[in-house]
């Protein structure tokens, strides 16, 4: 189990025992309930994933907006793809979630960035995820967040870039399983906006 967060509740987000546990069935991990709060992901720890950090706050959403001016480099776009895969797994068959990315570009990365993001648009076409993106040229755009039509805003100081560089390849556990990766220190705030 990863280290405790800065509150009395596990992960600082609250824990609710599932009905299966209440009925005496064993369960490997508690089910986290979406709550407002603040979470510190420590540097150099394992056991973290996008599912663990975001899933409970994204469930039930039909529209998700990701604001991150730094989805430019290949690894940043790969992080986005992993996030979209996680959301895809949360969406019931037959439903669809519209996910819109607002980001920025620079002359050195703009062409490759557009190619990568358009590949993601095409990859999810016809799936449970309708992905779109746009550039925001506002020079004051810096804050990174994820907001939903269910009233949640998740502010993330590092955006989706919470993992250290890891070994890639067909037999790399770090590439296949986020929980095997070392983290970069990050702070996440979960805010109820309604």
């Amino acid at each position: 189990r990863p280290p405790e967060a800065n509150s009395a509740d596990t992960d600082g987000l609250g824990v609710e025992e599932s009905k299966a546990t209440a009925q005496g069935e064993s369960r490997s991990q508690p089910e986290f309930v979406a709550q407002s709060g603040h979470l510190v992901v420590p540097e150099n720890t394992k056991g973290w994933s996008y599912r663990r950090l975001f899933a409970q706050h994204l469930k039930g959403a039909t529209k998700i907006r990701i604001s991150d001016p730094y989805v430019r480099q290949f690894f940043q776009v790969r992080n986005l793809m992993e996030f979209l895969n996680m959301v895809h797994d949360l969406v019931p068959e037959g439903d669809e979630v519209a996910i819109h990315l607002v980001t920025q570009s620079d002359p050195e990365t703009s062409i490759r960035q557009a190619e990568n993001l358009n590949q993601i648009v095409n990859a999810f076409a016809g799936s449970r995820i309708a992905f779109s993106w746009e550039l925001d040229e506002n020079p004051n755009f810096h804050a990174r967040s994820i907001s939903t039509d269910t009233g949640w805003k998740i502010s993330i100081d590092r955006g989706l870039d919470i993992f250290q560089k890891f070994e890639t390849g067909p037999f790399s556990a770090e590439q296949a399983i986020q929980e095997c990766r070392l983290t970069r220190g990050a702070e996440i705030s979960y805010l109820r906006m309604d």
Side-chain angles (χ1 to χ4, degrees), residues 84-145:
L84 296 175
N85 283 333
M86 181 270 301
V87 175
H88 180 273
D89 290 345
L90 297 175
V91 179
E93 191 66 44
D95 289 351
E96 182 180 80
V97 174
I99 301 179
H100 186 69
L101 169 69
V102 180
T103 191
Q104 289 188 330
S105 193
D106 55 55
E108 296 82 33
T109 62
S110 62
I111 293 172
R112 189 68 184 143
Q113 176 192 32
E115 290 172 353
N116 289 335
L117 291 173
N118 286 330
Q119 283 183 35
I120 292 177
V121 170
N122 294 332
F124 282 100
S127 76
R128 291 174 262 184
I129 300 294
F131 176 68
S132 60
W133 64 280
E134 70 176 283
L135 297 177
D136 182 341
E137 302 301 330
N138 183 339
N140 297 318
F141 178 25
H142 178 72
R144 299 167 186 140
S145 66

Side-chain angles (χ1 to χ4, degrees), residues 20-36:
T21 303
Q23 295 170 354
E25 297 173 23
S26 65
R27 191 170 166 97
S28 60
Q29 291 201 6
E31 185 174 318
F32 296 98
V33 177
Q35 291 185 20
S36 296

